[in-house]
Amino acid sequence: MKPQPALGAEHHCRLCGGDLREVLDFGSQPVSNAFVKADEADEVPFFRLAVGLCTSCTMVQQLDEMPPHKMYRSDYPYRASGSLLIRKHFENVARHIVQTRPGGQNGFVVEIGSNDGVMLKTLSEAGIRHLGVDPAAGAADVAESHGVNVLTEFFDEKTAADIRKEHGPAHLIFSANTISHISYLDSIFRGVDSLLAPDGLFVFEDRWLGDILEHGFFDQIYDEHIYLFSVRSVQATAARFGFELVDVEHLALHGGSIRYTVARAGTRRPAAAVAEYLERERSQRVAEEATFVRFSAEIDRIRTDLLDLLRELRSDGRRVVGYGATSRSATVLNYCQIGPDLLPRVYDSTPEKQGCLTPGSKIPVCPSEAFADPYPDYALLFAWNHAEEIMAKECSFHEAGGRWILYVPTVHIV
Ligand code: DWN
Ligand code: ZN
């Protein structure tokens, strides 16, 4: 994966306008959640998935991007409630909000990217004034069926102004795995500025660049992840719009995420954790090109090892399948050029994905209920972030002699 040397930077940072140094190039990649039927498979859009490092604010971001309406269609298949781990996580988030009651009795909570209501439904049950904002109509319908108030829109400064006019100020704006997915962050922060109460908080969770680089999670790079946030780049971005990063909390979710707490500048004393994580990132050199040169060599190592293993197993007549038709699998399958010849099917529990083909690589997605009919010899686990839950659920596979293949941090079998 040889990134093109920047001959006079043709790409500029979306936030500060600084020069972007190209550091990773995964080539042509599809819309990662375009799980469609066979007759539509050739219409799946592709783009060049390349990543740049801003030489001034250090924000890591995609050089090109897939238009949002092509990614977050009404039939966007991802359902956050699809995993016990995720449901528990957001029940804890919601319980904390119910206990702390931002804004008091009549407080108002807005969630950007509310998906199927996995978090907000607990607030709804507790009678807290709330509003989810999510463009994916299918997921929003599920949320509404659980009594959640949803606005089926993209969140930006116009939507924020409309919400403020109708509901008044928000005392908490929460978001998970969404803010890093939105290229027009300037409009997001201006929207938050117009909607948030003077002493309100903007809290968002996103996977952390530190863990991606440390553990080789290259599959966290796909169309939806426009930015790979670090504490330093989020701090710089918040400051650009009159906000201040006042706290950070590390979460194990998705291989390692950070919960960022942002307040209006000067309204709260930053917690010690902010400086601690800035120091960790400095010592980990997350804003240095050399770190990405090493990372890119690791990615190529994984590709070579994974292809060698799958080809060897095939020539030994072993039956190998995939498990978890994750968005992340798009990068692995298309960058490694893995198709139905090496992986005849992928099992997944999401009804919206079953009976479809994986984007680009066109591997059939089958219901996970059929995983045991009959068990394969090996299963390549794309949903490694749910390994504990899946391996417990499928323990009979292992007892029957089946083995899991994992590809991060390196290719190995368990
Ligand atoms: O950032 C994002 C995260 C939060 O969710 C989004 N951009 C899109 C999506 O990413 P993902 O598809 O990589 O998410 P997950 O949670 O890693 O996907 C897990 C997949 O595995 C789902 O398709 C469901 C499937 N699964 C399964 O088949 N059996 C999951 C579990 C727990 C299972 O038991
Ligand atoms: Zn920048």
Side-chain angles (χ1 to χ4, degrees):
M1 160 185 306
K2 204 89 205 67
Q4 326 304 325
L7 303 167
E10 45 185 272
H11 291 278
H12 295 284
C13 176
R14 290 174 179 83
L15 296 159
C16 75
D19 292 344
L20 290 181
R21 301 279 298 177
E22 180 170 330
V23 289
L24 298 171
D25 180 2
F26 292 90
S28 186
Q29 291 279 338
V31 170
S32 63
N33 267 296
F35 290 92
V36 296
K37 302 289 185 217
D39 57 359
E40 293 174 77
D42 292 332
E43 276 123 57
V44 169
F46 278 71
F47 80 123
R48 185 169 87 98
L49 177 62
V51 174
L53 167 66
C54 175
T55 52
S56 36
C57 78
T58 81
M59 181 63 83
V60 175
Q61 56 201 277
Q62 287 177 24
L63 297 183
D64 305 322
E65 65 187 63
M66 189 65 79
H69 69 272
K70 291 195 176 171
M71 295 191 278
Y72 308 111
R73 303 172 351 161
S74 60
D75 62 356
Y76 181 72
Y78 177 70
R79 299 285 180 274
S81 301
S83 113
L84 180 60
L85 176 77
I86 306 278
R87 288 197 302 277
K88 279 204 183 129
H89 173 73
F90 287 112
E91 274 154 24
N92 290 338
V93 169
R95 207 168 298 120
H96 176 74
I97 296 171
V98 171
Q99 275 152 15
T100 54
R101 205 103 202 187
Q105 236 16 62
N106 193 33
F108 179 46
V109 176
V110 170
E111 181 180 12
I112 303 173
S114 45
N115 196 262
D116 58 9
V118 67
M119 194 282 279
L120 284 178
K121 76 169 182 279
T122 304
L123 269 61
S124 171
E125 285 152 10
I128 292 185
R129 250 177 3 107
H130 67 275
L131 183 68
V133 185
D134 200 301
D141 291 348
V142 176
E144 278 174 342
S145 71
H146 294 297
V148 171
N149 304 325
V150 184
L151 184 60
T152 311
E153 289 277 351
F154 286 94
F155 183 92
D156 58 20
E157 57 197 301
K158 180 176 172 322
T159 316
D162 297 345
I163 294 171
R164 169 120 196 184
K165 213 182 296 159
E166 189 175 342
H167 301 271
H171 300 89
L172 171 67
I173 298 178
F174 177 80
S175 189
N177 308 306
T178 301
I179 302 302
S180 68
H181 295 45
I182 305 172
S183 64
Y184 46 87
L185 274 187
D186 50 349
S187 181
I188 295 293
F189 274 91
R190 284 196 293 271
V192 167
D193 191 21
S194 72
L195 176 57
L196 197 62
D199 61 347
L201 289 176
F202 176 31
V203 178
F204 55 99
E205 303 175 359
D206 261 299
R207 51 210 29 91
W208 181 40
L209 179 62
D211 283 312
I212 292 172
L213 292 171
E214 186 170 343
H215 306 295
F217 298 149
F218 71 97
D219 61 346
Q220 290 291 11
I221 302 169
Y222 55 93
D223 59 341
E224 296 179 9
H225 293 168
I226 304 282
Y227 302 100
L228 301 179
F229 286 160
S230 65
V231 172
R232 179 172 168 193
S233 61
V234 167
Q235 184 186 48
T237 303
R240 191 171 298 285
F241 298 96
F243 287 95
E244 190 172 9
L245 180 61
V246 293
D247 202 359
V248 292
E249 187 187 343
H250 189 264
L251 309 169
L253 221 59
H254 297 300
S257 299
I258 294 260
R259 178 181 292 145
Y260 300 94
T261 300
V262 164
R264 294 184 193 286
T267 59
R268 293 177 192 236
R269 173 201 297 276
V274 175
E276 281 159 26
Y277 272 85
L278 288 171
E279 183 43 43
R280 273 188 67 173
E281 290 181 350
R282 255 191 300 277
S283 60
Q284 207 190 332
R285 302 174 186 280
V286 301
E288 294 176 21
E289 229 176 304
T291 305
F292 289 87
V293 173
R294 178 180 52 72
F295 183 39
S296 123
E298 272 174 32
I299 297 168
D300 285 348
R301 172 86 265 146
I302 290 172
R303 176 169 67 171
T304 307
D305 293 350
L306 186 55
L307 284 169
D308 288 353
L309 175 61
L310 293 178
R311 289 181 181 134
E312 187 194 318
L313 292 174
R314 183 180 59 184
S315 57
D316 293 352
R318 302 294 185 172
R319 287 167 302 115
V320 187
V321 302
Y323 199 106
T326 60
S327 319
R328 286 164 290 121
S329 64
T331 299
V332 182
L333 293 168
N334 290 281
Y335 183 59
C336 301
Q337 296 289 303
I338 296 171
D341 56 327
L342 284 172
L343 220 56
R345 66 191 71 79
V346 176
Y347 291 93
D348 192 280
S349 59
T350 317
E352 289 79 6
K353 296 179 181 179
Q354 295 162 0
C356 298
L357 299 182
T358 56
S361 47
K362 301 181 182 170
I363 298 172
V365 180
C366 305
S368 41
E369 294 73 28
F371 180 55
D373 316 333
Y375 278 131
D377 301 310
Y378 292 86
L380 177 58
L381 186 59
F382 293 112
W384 48 264
N385 52 328
H386 302 286
E388 201 182 321
E389 186 175 342
I390 290 172
M391 291 182 181
K393 190 187 288 187
E394 304 288 3
C395 58
S396 339
F397 164 62
H398 209 263
E399 283 150 21
R403 291 291 170 268
W404 296 100
I405 300 171
L406 288 125
Y407 52 87
V408 287
T410 57
V411 175
H412 62 288
I413 293 175
V414 294

